[in-house]
Amino acid sequence: MTDRAWFDAAKGDIPQWAASMPKDADGTTIDWDWVRSLDLAHGVGTIPESTPQSIHDALKADYATRERLESIIAQCNSAFMTDFDRFIGSYRLPRALAYANRRLNDNINTLLHLGEQQHLWAVSRERRGRATIAVLKPYSGSGPSNDDQGMLDLSGEAGGTSAGNTAAENSDVKFPTTVALDDVQDRTAAILDARAERRKAQRFQKWAGDAAMARANLSGATSPGGAALPGGAAASGNATGHHPKPDWRDAYLPGRDVDAVMGIDIETTGIDPARDYIIDVGFEFMNMASPRPAGEPETYAYEQGYYAAGDAYGQSRLAFGVPPENAALGNALIAKLTGIDVRGRSSEAGYRLFDEWPQAQAGLLARLTQQPYVAHNATFEHSWFMLNVAGYAESYRAGRITIIDTLPMSRQWDPGAVPTNEHPYGDNTLDAYAKRQGALDSAHNERHLGLEDSHIMLVAMKHHLAALKAQGKGPWGSTGRAGVGGKSCGRKR
């Protein structure tokens, strides 16, 4: 297939999804005919006239479309992974919906800025529950916005406004506030909170059913195999003397035979893979037990001059862009965190978009499948690969991908990860973990670039595994696993 023909192929999968997934993540029956009607390749957002009511109506329509799309996308992973009869052959439809949703989200942010420029509202970004949302308030004519985005210059020159001023204060366009705001508020936080409450109720119902069954079977204090009854407080010992409870992340812990791995870290324009873009990918290889392969280059120059390649090899750094609409808005938070200013990363400036670059996706997938890959908080990378990399979801479901996470290594096996008031589960950031394991000098901080963060993660992991092996703990302890370990699907270890 060429160009964007994969969108047509994705729509061709709708009958498979409709048969397996009649409802979305909020329990609403999905109108698959509506999904089929969407122009996923060329945009599902509304482009209004520059009048107050038109901007308001376009924003309202775009919010409604985004809610419908995201509730479908949110259910796709569960439907695909539990499709044991394999009615659904491909994950390209969710990827296509996410592609369209990212552009829709850019359109929403453009409308928010346009309304601010025309004094229809003031925008603030506020943390509400599980999400940071755009809150619209009546324009007062004074006070800066706390929007983490850059400022949209309607003259077409990105970044044309000064820091600290709202777009409205820099605009010569003056409009009275004549539109209602109640029906154009971002409902993301409320939707996510309600979804989480439903999942919590379902888990409680399952726990209650399991407990009732255990009592009916007179199984005593434990279920077969000695595991605690649901809700019990049994914990696995670690290398520290404190005993964190078992956690779902423990499935990502390495086994005692782990060796060749690829460490990977990505930088993105936000935290939502259905709304934001991958802009930086860094990865490298390292052997945890065997010698470094002969013939690999002996040195590699990282951005941080005090990093030494050591046992790492096969390093790579990949840079990607964003659509012009996203570049025009800017992203001050990401620029401050990573040093990457998306205003210079427009596709019009020659940067390729990762979700439009099949060859880059194929190359990354080939590397992800040839050995276990390691990430810190690996569910983050996994969620982005699911919605961005063609073939990743299918490969993961088939058991061709194994994921190891250094976050549960820190949480379960690191002596320094002791609970405190500030960090109830211990400080398990990559920065803290790398410093405790001697991979990062205490005078420096995590760089927040893909390759550099991958490097300190792998160095920390190798140091940590060597110490655990010497102590007979971690993978070599009573609860450790033989084999490579890590999380994979579709095969037994």
Side-chain angles (χ1 to χ4, degrees), residues 457-482:
M457 174 187 66
L458 287 185
V459 173
M461 178 182 176
K462 186 160 187 174
H463 289 178
H464 195 187
L465 287 174
L468 292 168
K469 184 175 183 180
Q471 299 164 8
K473 297 179 179 178
W476 294 271
S478 60
T479 59
R481 287 190 289 171

Side-chain angles (χ1 to χ4, degrees), residues 110-131:
T110 299
L111 291 170
L112 290 172
H113 279 282
L114 184 59
E116 200 168 24
Q117 283 187 316
Q118 296 198 5
H119 298 178
L120 305 182
W121 48 64
V123 181
S124 64
R125 304 278 171 173
E126 300 179 10
R127 187 72 183 178
R128 300 279 180 87
R130 291 166 171 79

Side-chain angles (χ1 to χ4, degrees), residues 6 12 55 106 125 184 257 447 460:
W6 71 279
I55 295 170
D106 290 344
R125 304 278 171 173
V184 285
D257 300 317
R447 176 58 184 85

